[in-house]
Structure formats: structure tokens, C-alpha cells
Amino acid sequence: MNHHNVCHYFPPVLINAQPVETEYVLFLFFLKAMQPGTHVNYEVKGDVAVVRINDPNSKVNTLSIQMQKELTDVMNEVWSNNAVQSAVLISTKPGCFIAGADINMIEGCKTAEEVTQLSQEGQNIFEKIEKSPKPIVAAINGSCLGAGLEFVIACQYRIATKSKKTVLGTPEVMLGLLPGAGGTQRLPKMVGLPSAFDMMLTGRNIRADKAKKMGLVHQLVDTLGPGLKSPEERTIEYLEEIAIECARGIVNKKIPLSKEKGMMQKLQDYIMSFEMVRNQIYKTVHGKVMKQSKGLYPAPLKIIECVKAGIEQGPIPGYLAESQNFGQLAKTTESHALIGLYHGQVTCKKNRFGAPQKEVKTLAILGAGLMGAGIAQVTVDKGVHTILKDTTVSGLARGEQQVFKGFNDKTKKRNITSFERDSILSNLTGQLDYSGFEKADMVIEAVFEDINIKHKVLKEIEAVIPPHCIFASNTSALPIKEIAAASKRPDKVIGMHYFSPVDKMQLLEIITTEQTSKDTTASAVAVGLKQGKVIIVVGDGPGFYTTRCLAPMLAEAVRVLQEGVDPKKLDALTTGFGFPVGAATLADEVGLDVAAHVAEDLGKAFGSRFGGGNVEVLKTMVDMGFKGRKSGKGCYVYQPGLKVRDVNPDIEEILEKYKMTPNPAVSSDSDVQYRLVSRFVNEAVLCLQEGILSSPVEGDIGAVFGLGFPPCLGGPFRFVDAFGADKLVEKMRRYEEVYGNQFTPCQLLLDHANDSSKKFHK
Amino acid sequence: KVLSIQTKSKKTLARPNVKNIVLVEGVRTPFLLSGTTYSDLMPHDLARAALQGLLHRTAIPKDVVDYIIYGTVIQEVKTSNVAREAALGAGFSDKIPSHTVTMACISSNQAMTSAVGLIAAGQCDAVVAGGVEFMSDVPIRHSRKMRKTMLSLNKAKTLGQRLSLLGSIRLAHLSPELPAVAEFSTSETMGHSADRLAAAFGVSRVEQDEFALRSHSLAKKAQDAGLLQDVISFKVPGRDIVSQDNGIRPSSMEQMAKLKPAFIKPHGTVTAANSSFLTDGASAVLIMSEEKALAMGYKPKAYLRDFVYVSQDPKDQLLLGPTYGTPKVLERAGLTMSDIDVFEFHEAFAGQIMANLKAMDSDWFAQTYMGRKSKVGTPPMDKFNLWGGSLSLGHPFGATGCRLVTTVAHRLQKEGGQYGLVAACAAGGQVSDTHVQHSLVVPAMIAFCTYAKHLYEL
């Protein structure tokens, strides 16, 4: 069992950088020659115009310039056609209504004013839709996000399918933006202030059933199974049929547009009519945002500002605030960083090694600990037969329970039915022996981090698995080359470094040695993608990429503690810089024993550069039983059920024993922050220099999704680009004078410092 | 005496080394809307009435029967082996073993095919199979929390323990647990599923209403003409003698069009009028080896030749069993659709029947989902459910299968056909306020009957 790895979640406001589904916006969209009617067409059925959208050049529909233009043309025709009484707006693209605006369109703008202009054009189009004399029914199947959502809430009526792919949301905040086409103005009116804030500030996807409850859609339509056409095709057709009936119903006044308000709704409206109440809401939301974002993310604050402007001052100032803030936000470094992460994530969700020769249908996992069971959990629901093997009945039982709990929680949240849970779990086999391993296509070991144990396991496994089977090690620091040394077929040995908790952390770091075959890598990436992971593929070496970046930062954190900064302060400094989890808490989550182990190993491998804090501090803590959260005590004391935690009083003594005197020249709050961050960043750049990393994009994605590097900075490489390598080097030189080679900038960083035209990202 | 009815001469389906198994007789109680005349009975009372009716009709000695099997869906917990309770109450010998089976709406089909299996295996020569459903009363349980408390109460030793357990009872404990309204695996009610199925096949509301109207009209005609000979009269204790089904109500298209959708609101197409209704009723058949039947001097009504069960995805193809099962059973018998003289399909919902007919008529469906080269083909409507169906006669879940088979035999007799085919999907009834538990897999049963009367009327 290896408890290592980082455990943290992005706080809700900052889930930034995880646009969840690739469907959200884009894929490079090159503006094609303007052909009329390639994206939008319409057909008049009786007295209803059915406007159908489908971008032929992309898997998803986006509100690109072409789409906007065609929509405007078609709507003008609809409005001028006397035979038409009403309209239905529908997408014929399976799984996607409109996934958002075209990001490249925004990125293509040179100035904030240009972006504001774009926003105003969007506002104008949707205003016309809102004021349409002929009712427009939006018939939604598939993702309806961002500008897509802003579009439908301008329509008079909304019908959505109950498909799992049908989600509504305003994910702009995750890209450091705000809903810039009327969303901040219409949404609060439609769903009320609290829900509107929740949607816009978290950017989360809302399923159709929830949307109905919130009042975001009026009516739901079931998805259909096999019939005389494919289910998807017939479902869209069915949705259209119902939407047409609905449009006629609205015209005939059989379907009222304003719903009779319920008692609760009336009460809520009454309460909301008090300015004092509203102000209290703004204040609370603002406070929450500040607490979670530490003020590092401008978008959430601007969203609050726009909503407030619209409600308190009226539509004209409201819409103006929205378009202006949208323009400004689009030009912030935070938005660039988050959009960069978005693009990076899309890149890291592709298999650049091609399709593997053989698909993994049976995956065996060794060790049913936190990691092993976590890997099983993300595998078993992907139609892969999963074997979970442990050496003891109690270990296996705990692991199987962890997997069960993962799916049972989903059942409780009604994401899946109990039947689906059961049939998913039928793919899981828990066992103590190697039976069935002869059918395994891949084995992932998650046993204790000890090279001798790994070798023993590898030999045992190779005796029972078929020749094509891949052996992957979920180690966090042991070089794969050393593990592969015991293998009869090192070309089939690879590292798959998962992060804890596996079901929550998106990153998978795949480590290849010089001997690992391309097909082995392709297969590992394919498995990781199936498991829903964002993947970086890095070269072999002690600590690979992620652990190697984290180790010097934690070494520095220990030194900071030794210098008398208490864990709470240390946490505040790191979270204040944008890390979702403070350094002391992070160490507790990783496990102090693991941290000590890694620090010692990497210290041996890299020498004094990895020094800083005294390893003995960690070791003494471990000896006293303070292994972090898992043992109940670490830097903090953890009590079950208690959220507040106090600093572990017993560590004072240890820190006193290893006390170091801080040098005031490098010990300001800001200096402490940069000492921590610069070591992280320098090591990352060194990894690129040494070829451990193959690109800065992977470096940024690995740091943000695996280690919680501040998303608002976009990752270490984007941070260097934005902050300035020269400025960073200047700081490091100052620290180097005091502490020595731990702060010596690497050559690549120096190159960038010496030539300001050099950037990691274009 | 010569053949009273001219039958077409087709090949016999008898197979070498396989015993001929025959349907000697089939009866049923009148099928009544639940909550009407039967409302104070218990399920075994209804089953008992059917069994006594069978005894009366066949005059079979009570100890000749080797085995009794009953099908039921919603089980009365007091009589969980309702076959045994009913058999004893009907005066059968207490030496006859009996068991109860459940397989959603084809439970009595399962009872009959189990009987066929027992006879074919040489275990038995005469088996009574039947089915019963009693929707006027269904078991409603205490909540799980309450049950747990009550069970703990049994084990509590001291007064203190008991009091503390009683004290732990909260209002939430008192909310009752109704029999599941939904399919266990998908949480979807049968009516909802039928509505989606109808939509998937583009079956309109009008088509459904027309089919329902057809069912009611044909049932009324059959009832008036005295064709429903399987119905026995039943003196309900404390009430009158019941001798007719009471759910047959031919209406008009206009009347039916007024109804609102029962499951998918507001745009659904399945309504109370085009769905089968909650029904109380029981049925029974006597199945024997041909040898034994002839030896006892019976003139069997039909051979029971073959059957097939199939099952599909419980979500999207829940009610498509007949489409999948029909070609299979035909192929087993070496027959084609046009060889069949009489079709009896269970009508759970008009929309479900129409969807099946459309599926059977679609090459695309056959190729895409059934792995066939071409479509199954549809049964001609002039041979299809001519004496009404579950929509009009009623659908006591567990009892419908025997009604279908007996009706096929009677229709073959009346219409002069040789081959009949029964198909039923395992569906619930109209579930607007129903307490129905459906089975997890959704099989369809195809029983195959050959008209045999001409052999014995000489």
C-alpha cells in the first residue's frame, strides 16, 4: 500500500481549468469561407419554423462568427415570414446543443475593447431573441453551455431531453471569464440570485432533471431506445415533434409562458424584494469567493459586480458592466492561464502514441490499498474486467469496500442506479491468489514502495501472466529502470503514477524508460484515458516529474517550519499564493513517512540541491507516530468528524530541537512564498532541460492537476512566462546567497532570463 | 361422426421420441376490475374458484393429478405458496405437491411450460397449471426502519431496552412502503416504458386508441356471442354469482381522445383507455400426456408443441419480447408466419402491441437489433386477438398466460385452424396507481399450440 501523493481538491470556485468534458467549446476552428446555410437551416412545418443548427466542421456546435451570422440571417427570415407563428430552435448534432462561444474568436481579439465589442454583439442578438414577437422554443439535447445557455435563456420556452449528455451550465468562470452575452443579467431573474450565483461562480454542469427543478427549463423529454431509427436520431426527432406542439400551444395560449408562482416562490420573491437582504447576499457571496479564491481570481468578483449592477441599477448599466468586464477579463493573465490549461488538458486527453495493438480487457491490480482500490474504482466502470489482488483478507476487504463505497455514494447521489452499481461491480474480482492472471492484459502494482518487494512481485507476476501482458508500477519515486531490472521483458514495463484519491485526482503521470516499447506506452495511455485521466508522459529518473518538483518545495517548507513559522502560517502563505492546499496540510495528506522516504531517496539522488529542511525533522515526527492525516496526527491533529484542526502541540518540541535562525533578508511573507515556489519552478524547468518532460504543456498540466500548482498561474512554465524569468532569477540569486545551491537557477531558466523573447508558451 | 369442422391439412409437428402433450381443458374466473366484486377475497380464494371450475368441467378424479403449479406476481405473504393453499382449499388430494412460480406477466406461462417439462421428462402424466392475481389487496409493508425496530423489539430483554427502542420511533418510521411501482433495475414504471417504446416506433395516440377500441369491440362481440367459454361462474362469498368479465367497455374515439396521458405528462400518448387495467382473476388448465388423456377418455383441445423464452435490455426493449420470440419459435417448428391460423398476443398496452407490430415489419430493426437478414413480418390482423385481449378482458398478471393458451385452443376449434401462436411480454398493467413488482429480466414467452380436436371427434 502506498499512501503517498497529493490529496487536494480545487475549491469550487477554482475548479477552473477543468472544463470536465472536452465538449466545452473548441477544437481549432478555422473560419471557413462564409457559405450560406452550412451551419443553420430552417424548415417551416405548418406555422412553426424549425431552425436546425449543426456545425459540419466540428464535433461540437460553437457560437462562432459563422454560426452567429447564419443564425441572425435565419432568424430575420423567420421574423419576416408571415406564414410563421412561432419557432423551434434545435441542434441536429448528437450529444451537443451549443457547447459555448468559440474560444479562438475571443483569443483572436487584440484588445479588451474588441472583446467587449464581441460581447455587445452577442447581447444584441439575444436581446432580439428575447423580444421576439414569435415565441421561440429551445429544444435542448446534449451540452448547452456558456453562450449556448445564454442563448436558450433568451428564448421564450425551453424543453430538454433527459439524456445524460444534456447538461446546462455557465463554465466561463473556469476560463477566467464571465457569461458575456446577457447571462449575468438573465440568469438571476430566471433562477433567483442564489442559484444564479451558484451556477456562474462554480461553472458546474446541471443535469436536465435538476434544471427543471430550478426553473431553468420548462419541460423534459425522455430519451428513446431502439425503434425504427437509431435511438439518438429518433430522440432528437421526438424532441422536435414535442417542441413543435409546444410552440403551437404557446401561440394558442394553451401553454402559459408565465407560470403561476408557488407559495415558496412568492415568499422568496418577497424576501428578495428587500435591498438589505440582497446586499447581505452579495456580501456573503463576495466573502465566500474571497475566502476560497484569496482574491487571486478576478472573474468571480466581476460576476458578482455585473449581477449587482443589473439588479440594483437596471438593465442598461447591467449589460454595460457585463460587456466591459468581459472584455477586461479576457485580457487578464489569469484568464490566459486558465484557457492555457484548458487547451493543455485537451492535448493531454489524446493518445499521441496511437492506438495500441491490443485493447486491455482484463486489468489486474496488486495491492488493495488506498491507491490499488482507487485504480480499481476508476477502471471497473469502463467495461474492463478488473482483478484486485491483495495478500490478506482484511486488506482485500477494506479495498473492496472502498470500491463499493465509491459507487454506492454515486447511487445515493442518484448519479447511477443501484442496479447500475451492481452490474459495474460484477466486473470486479477480489482475490488473494494469482488465478486469472493468465488472462490479464495489464497488471498495475500498487504494493509497498520498496525496491525489493517490487522485484519480488514482478518476478511472481511474470511467471503467471501471458507474454503480451504489460507490467505497470504505480510508484511515486522509484525509478522504473531499477524496477525493470528484474524483468525478463523490460519493454513491457512502464510506470503509471496515480494521485490520491485516485477517483478525484485527474492526473496520471506515465513514466517510460529507454527500453519501454512504444506500444506499451500507447496501451498505458489508452487505459489512462479510459479511466478518465489527464495524462502526461515523462522520462524516467528519481521522482520523475511531479514528485521531483514537489520534493524541493516540501524541503523548503520544512526549513520554513524550522525557522519558526507555524504550520498555520505556512498554509496561509501557500494558499495565499494560489495553491489549493497549504504546504503543511499537503505534507500531512501525502503522509509524512512518504515525504521523509522520498526526501531521503531524492536527497541521495540529487545531493544538496534537494536539501533545505532537515530530513531528521520528518523522521523524528514519523518515529513519534505522526505520519499525517492517516495516523490522526502530523503537523495537525485530526479528529474524526471535526473540520477545524489544531496544530499538533507535540511538534513544537521537535521544531525547537531543529530550530534554525531565519535570515530577515529572505524571510518576509513574500520571500517565503517565492522560496517555496521558485524551487518548485526551477526543478520543473530543469526537468524540461533534462528531457524528463517533453513539453512545457505537460509540465504545466502535471503541476496543476497533480500537485495543485496555482491554476490562476497556469503552471510553472506559464508562470515563468508571465512573471518574467529574469525577475525570478533575480529573486533566486538573492536566496542563493543565503542558502546556496538549492536556489541556483538551472541553465534553461537562465537562458530565458537572458533573452526576454524566449517564452515557453507562444 | 365426421369431422365437424374442416381443417386445413398441414404437417404434424409431432417429433420422434418426444411425448405428445395436450391441453385437456382451460378455465378462468371472470376477470374483474380490481376493487369490485372480488375485493374482500384473498388470492387463493380466486385460484380455488378456478381450480374447482376445472374440476367441475373435466370431472377428473382429484387424485389423478400428479402436480399443481401456479403463477402469481404480487405475492400475498400469508399464502406465499398460493398453489398449495388453493389446491387444498379446492379439495384436491393433500398428497399432490404444488408450487408457485413468478415471472412477471408471464408467470402462468411459466407454470404451463413447467408442467410440459414435467410431463416430457416422464415425471408426471397430469398436471394442473394456473395463475392468479389479486390487485384489490396488495401487501404494504412498514418501512425498513420500522421493521428493524420491530425485529429488535423481539430480541429486547428488559423493559428498559424495549422502551428505548420504542422511544427511537420517529415519524419517518411510520411511512409505509408500497410494492415497487417501478422496474427494479431501471426504476421506470411499465407505463412509462410503454410510452417511450411507442414514441421510439412513432406510434401515434390515435393508432393506440384505435387498437384499444378494436380490442374492446371484439371482446364485447365475443362476450355477446358466448365465445368466451373458458369463463366459469363463481359464487363470490357474501356477494352475487359472477359470470362475466366486467372491464369490457367499448367507447368512442372521441371519448378516448379526451383522456390525459397517464405516465408521461404532458406530451405522452399512453392513457388509461389504451392500457390494460388492474384486474383480479385466476385461471387454470389441465395438461396431460396424450396417452394418459386418451386412456382416460378425454378429447384434448390442443397439442402444446413448443415454446421459447427470450429476454432483452430491461430499459429500452422491455416490451419487445414478442418481436424477438415469434421468429424463434416459428423457426424451431419449421413454420412461417403464414402457416399460423390463430394469433393471441398479450395486450399490455396498445402502444406496446403497435410498437411490436412495427418492429416486426421493419427490415432495419431486424438487421440492426436482431441480427436477421430481413424483417420478421407481422401477423395479419384478421387472425389477431379476435376475441379481445388484455386491454379489454383485463390482465390479472399471473393469470393471463393460461387465458391466452386456452383462447387459442378455442379459437382454433371455432375458426377451423390448425396452428396457433401465443406471445406475451412480461409487462405490468396500467400502473398509474399500481403496486406492481416486475421481474428483473424481461422474457417473452411463446407457447405453440396445434389444434388437435379433429383427431378425437371421430
Side-chain angles (χ1 to χ4, degrees), chain A residues 417 419, chain B residues 182-189 313-315 318:
Chain A
T417 64
F419 176 75
Chain B
E183 191 79 3
F184 180 74
S185 61
T186 59
S187 312
E188 187 180 28
T189 63
D313 162 28
K315 176 146 178 69
L318 185 65

Side-chain angles (χ1 to χ4, degrees), chain A residues 214-457:
Chain A
M214 289 170 65
L216 201 51
V217 301
H218 297 85
Q219 198 175 318
L220 296 180
V221 170
D222 286 278
T223 55
L224 302 180
L228 299 179
K229 289 177 180 167
S230 81
E232 185 87 39
E233 194 187 345
R234 176 62 193 143
T235 298
I236 293 174
E237 205 178 84
Y238 180 52
L239 172 66
E240 184 181 300
E241 289 165 13
I242 291 163
I244 290 173
E245 279 313 303
C246 234
R248 292 207 178 105
I250 295 168
V251 173
N252 301 338
K253 311 262 184 246
K254 278 187 184 153
I255 297 174
L257 283 178
S258 54
K259 213 178 143 190
E260 186 71 25
K261 282 180 178 170
M263 201 50 210
M264 280 304 290
Q265 188 61 43
K266 279 183 188 159
L267 191 69
Q268 200 178 339
D269 287 356
Y270 177 69
I271 293 168
M272 285 298 180
S273 69
F274 293 101
E275 196 183 346
M276 201 182 70
V277 174
R278 294 196 304 271
N279 280 335
Q280 190 55 40
I281 290 178
Y282 302 135
K283 214 177 122 192
T284 313
V285 173
H286 190 273
K288 260 190 185 167
V289 166
M290 286 305 288
K291 195 177 165 213
Q292 294 191 324
S293 72
K294 315 282 175 199
L296 296 168
Y297 294 80
L301 302 174
K302 292 290 184 192
I303 289 170
I304 301 172
E305 196 182 306
C306 295
V307 170
K308 197 172 169 184
I311 290 180
E312 306 304 329
Q313 296 166 44
I316 294 171
Y319 281 98
L320 189 63
E322 181 183 272
S323 62
Q324 286 181 341
N325 282 322
F326 186 73
Q328 284 170 25
L329 283 175
K331 291 292 144 196
T332 55
T333 55
E334 290 83 359
S335 176
H336 290 162
L338 294 170
I339 290 176
L341 284 173
Y342 176 76
H343 287 306
Q345 203 192 18
V346 171
T347 309
C348 293
K349 284 247 181 199
K350 287 181 185 147
N351 193 344
R352 63 179 154 104
F353 298 89
Q357 282 165 20
K358 204 169 187 310
E359 195 193 343
V360 172
K361 289 188 177 142
T362 300
L363 178 77
I365 297 157
L366 297 180
L370 222 51
M371 295 302 291
I375 298 167
Q377 192 187 328
V378 298
T379 313
V380 73
D381 61 341
K382 310 300 185 314
V384 177
H385 175 217
T386 309
I387 297 174
L388 186 60
K389 183 202 172 297
D390 205 284
T391 49
T392 65
V393 174
S394 60
L396 183 62
R398 197 218 61 82
E400 286 195 80
Q401 179 59 31
Q402 183 186 330
V403 181
F404 172 81
K405 186 174 181 298
F407 291 105
N408 199 40
D409 288 350
K410 283 191 185 178
T411 307
K412 282 185 191 159
K413 285 187 202 150
R414 301 194 174 202
N415 288 337
I416 56 172
T417 64
S418 61
F419 176 75
E420 283 167 324
R421 175 198 66 203
D422 297 345
S423 64
I424 287 168
L425 290 171
S426 71
N427 268 330
L428 181 74
T429 316
Q431 59 190 51
L432 298 172
D433 58 15
Y434 285 120
S435 64
F437 273 57
E438 71 279 358
K439 291 205 182 96
D441 302 303
M442 179 182 279
V443 175
I444 300 178
E445 67 80 12
V447 301
F448 194 72
E449 290 273 79
D450 176 318
I451 190 73
N452 295 321
I453 296 178
K454 303 260 185 203
H455 279 169
K456 179 173 164 278
V457 160

Side-chain angles (χ1 to χ4, degrees), chain B residues 50-51 95 104 109 162 183 343 410:
Chain B
L51 286 172
K95 302 287 186 291
N109 302 62
R162 277 188 208 116
E183 191 79 3
F343 291 90
H410 288 165

Side-chain angles (χ1 to χ4, degrees), chain A residues 397-636:
Chain A
R398 197 218 61 82
E400 286 195 80
Q401 179 59 31
Q402 183 186 330
V403 181
F404 172 81
K405 186 174 181 298
F407 291 105
N408 199 40
D409 288 350
K410 283 191 185 178
T411 307
K412 282 185 191 159
K413 285 187 202 150
R414 301 194 174 202
N415 288 337
I416 56 172
T417 64
S418 61
F419 176 75
E420 283 167 324
R421 175 198 66 203
D422 297 345
S423 64
I424 287 168
L425 290 171
S426 71
N427 268 330
L428 181 74
T429 316
Q431 59 190 51
L432 298 172
D433 58 15
Y434 285 120
S435 64
F437 273 57
E438 71 279 358
K439 291 205 182 96
D441 302 303
M442 179 182 279
V443 175
I444 300 178
E445 67 80 12
V447 301
F448 194 72
E449 290 273 79
D450 176 318
I451 190 73
N452 295 321
I453 296 178
K454 303 260 185 203
H455 279 169
K456 179 173 164 278
V457 160
L458 175 62
K459 283 178 188 155
E460 278 177 21
I461 293 289
E462 286 193 348
V464 290
I465 54 177
H468 73 274
C469 182
I470 291 165
F471 181 89
S473 174
N474 173 52
T475 172
S476 56
L478 293 175
I480 303 304
K481 201 162 42 195
E482 281 177 33
I483 295 174
S487 170
K488 286 185 283 187
R489 39 186 187 183
D491 60 312
K492 300 243 182 271
V493 178
I494 196 165
M496 289 175 85
H497 178 200
Y498 290 86
F499 294 76
S500 183
V502 181
D503 59 319
K504 300 276 185 337
M505 296 294 291
Q506 284 183 287
L507 189 73
L508 168 62
E509 183 181 31
I510 290 179
I511 305 103
T512 60
T513 70
E514 282 164 7
Q515 287 173 293
T516 308
S517 75
K518 192 184 155 225
D519 187 59
T520 299
T521 313
S523 192
V525 174
V527 166
L529 289 177
K530 209 180 245 185
Q531 291 167 334
K533 297 295 169 197
V534 174
I535 296 168
I536 60 170
V537 180
V538 305
D540 195 19
F544 326 123
Y545 169 63
T546 50
T547 311
R548 188 170 153 185
C549 291
L550 187 62
M553 182 168 125
L554 284 184
E556 195 60 28
V558 172
R559 169 153 60 200
V560 170
L561 290 175
Q562 284 175 265
E563 287 179 353
V565 174
D566 92 340
K568 280 205 165 156
K569 175 82 193 269
L570 174 61
D571 274 355
L573 288 174
T574 27
T575 53
F577 199 78
F579 282 89
V581 172
T585 307
L586 184 61
D588 275 358
E589 294 288 350
V590 169
L592 294 173
D593 51 340
V594 176
H597 194 72
V598 169
E600 213 173 11
D601 273 7
L602 296 189
K604 276 180 203 153
F606 294 109
S608 56
R609 185 158 52 84
F610 271 53
N614 191 336
V615 176
E616 292 305 315
V617 174
L618 292 175
K619 281 176 141 181
T620 315
M621 285 172 80
V622 174
D623 288 345
M624 291 178 71
F626 308 146
K627 292 183 185 172
R629 178 189 276 279
K630 61 190 169 191
S631 65
K633 277 183 182 178
C635 297
Y636 295 97

